[in-house]
Amino acid sequence: MTPVTDKKRETHEREAALVQEVKRQTGQLDAIRNVITAAANSPDLRETLGAALDAALTVVPLEASAITLIDRATGELVMQAQRGLKLDFTSTPMRLKAGEGISGEVIRTGEPVILGDPTADSRLAVRAWSQENVQAMALIPMRARGEVIGILSVMSHEPHPFTPSEIRTLRVIADQVGLAIDNARLYDTVRVQRSRLEAVLNATADAIIATDDNGIINLVNNAAETFFNLPAESMLGKPLRDAPFFPPAREMLETALHRERGGTVIELPFDD
């Protein structure tokens, strides 16, 4: 073989390797983007967790992945989602005591743990893992507001040497999942608080209408519907000045709104 032919072959191999690396990095970016999109567009925690598991298995083409979260009430680590495992660890969730097992070390140190066969590790706390025949495993901490809130795990049934690039990308995905979980929990807290507020407002005998800072009606309680003899749907989302109240009431409400210079809650005594 001539030197010219050797040089062409080497050039071709370098170009092919470069193309494969570009494809790999593009796949990683797409996987991360999917997690970010799920986190931004959905308050549904299950949807976000599913997107995160799919993204993790795109970054490292392995067979299985799982997410465990810290139960804020008990401090236990609870498995919430899984992909590709033989056993079901989520229907009746697998629970680990705080600080227990390999996962406990990840929570305690805030650093990834990379393993071969976990059944050969003395720290293994869940013996059922022996049935999964896992030969390689990476456990990545998930953070929100600077605290570790859970673990993203990826697993292989064959030996797999995790590369620094794979671990870096998995850490980015884990942090995005942590942010999504925190957002979902905040959303749920706000939803519960709003439900409680609405229950209180609908229990009162006073007619109450609330507006935002732009004078758009965003709350009408049951007493207000009765007082004005109008369904809430006919008032919600409309500027106060366009509300179908009888004129004297509308003028009184507009005067109060101007006086408050912003969003306000106005109570009308429910008297004849």
Side-chain angles (χ1 to χ4, degrees):
M1 188 174 290
T2 66
V4 173
T5 303
D6 287 343
K7 187 174 182 179
K8 287 183 177 179
R9 186 184 65 182
E10 291 173 1
T11 300
H12 177 74
E13 290 175 349
R14 284 198 300 271
E15 290 176 348
L18 179 61
V19 169
Q20 290 302 315
E21 178 63 16
V22 170
K23 288 182 178 179
R24 185 186 65 82
Q25 292 184 2
T26 300
Q28 290 182 347
L29 291 174
D30 287 341
I32 294 172
R33 189 178 301 113
N34 289 339
V35 176
I36 295 173
T37 299
N41 296 335
S42 175
D44 188 335
L45 182 58
R46 290 172 298 179
E47 181 178 333
T48 301
L49 296 183
L53 295 180
D54 293 338
L57 294 181
T58 299
V59 170
V60 284
L62 303 181
E63 297 85 23
S65 59
I67 288 177
T68 51
L69 299 178
I70 296 175
D71 185 323
R72 292 178 293 181
T74 66
E76 293 177 312
L77 198 60
V78 183
M79 186 172 287
Q80 300 284 356
Q82 66 179 69
R83 290 280 193 277
L85 295 174
K86 298 174 185 177
L87 301 179
D88 182 358
F89 292 100
T90 56
S91 295
T92 301
M94 179 191 78
R95 305 181 76 91
L96 290 173
K97 295 179 181 178
E100 186 177 22
I102 302 168
S103 298
E105 180 174 336
V106 177
I107 299 298
R108 183 172 58 256
T109 65
E111 293 296 328
V113 170
I114 313 301
L115 300 170
D117 179 0
T119 61
D121 194 302
S122 61
R123 297 169 296 178
L124 183 66
V126 182
R127 291 300 164 185
W129 279 111
S130 61
Q131 300 180 48
E132 296 293 341
N133 193 32
V134 170
Q135 298 299 308
M137 187 174 186
L139 297 85
I140 313 296
M142 298 186 302
R143 290 181 172 82
R145 304 188 193 186
E147 295 183 358
V148 177
I149 64 169
I151 298 173
L152 168 66
S153 304
V154 291
M155 294 147 277
S156 174
H157 298 140
E158 301 292 336
H160 178 84
F162 290 95
T163 67
S165 176
E166 288 174 338
I167 297 303
R168 283 195 300 269
T169 307
L170 286 171
R171 293 186 79 155
V172 172
I173 292 174
D175 284 342
Q176 290 298 328
V177 179
L179 176 62
I181 292 168
D182 193 50
N183 288 341
R185 286 173 171 172
L186 287 174
Y187 176 87
D188 191 56
T189 298
V190 171
R191 180 183 58 79
V192 170
Q193 290 176 344
R194 181 178 178 86
S195 296
R196 290 174 178 171
L197 175 61
E198 289 179 348
V200 171
L201 292 177
N202 284 323
T204 182
D206 293 328
I208 300 176
I209 294 174
T211 73
D212 62 18
D213 291 341
N214 297 315
I216 304 300
I217 297 173
N218 58 14
L219 185 145
V220 177
N221 74 342
N222 293 339
E225 289 185 282
T226 302
F227 184 85
F228 292 114
N229 194 28
L230 292 169
E233 290 75 15
S234 68
M235 296 178 272
L236 290 171
K238 294 184 178 180
L240 185 60
R241 62 179 179 275
D242 297 332
F245 306 129
F246 52 88
R250 185 173 60 210
E251 291 172 5
M252 178 180 64
L253 292 170
E254 287 179 341
T255 299
L257 182 63
H258 281 297
R259 185 169 59 249
E260 293 291 337
R261 292 173 170 258
T264 186
V265 175
I266 303 160
E267 295 190 15
L268 299 178
F270 192 60
D271 296 328
D272 292 331

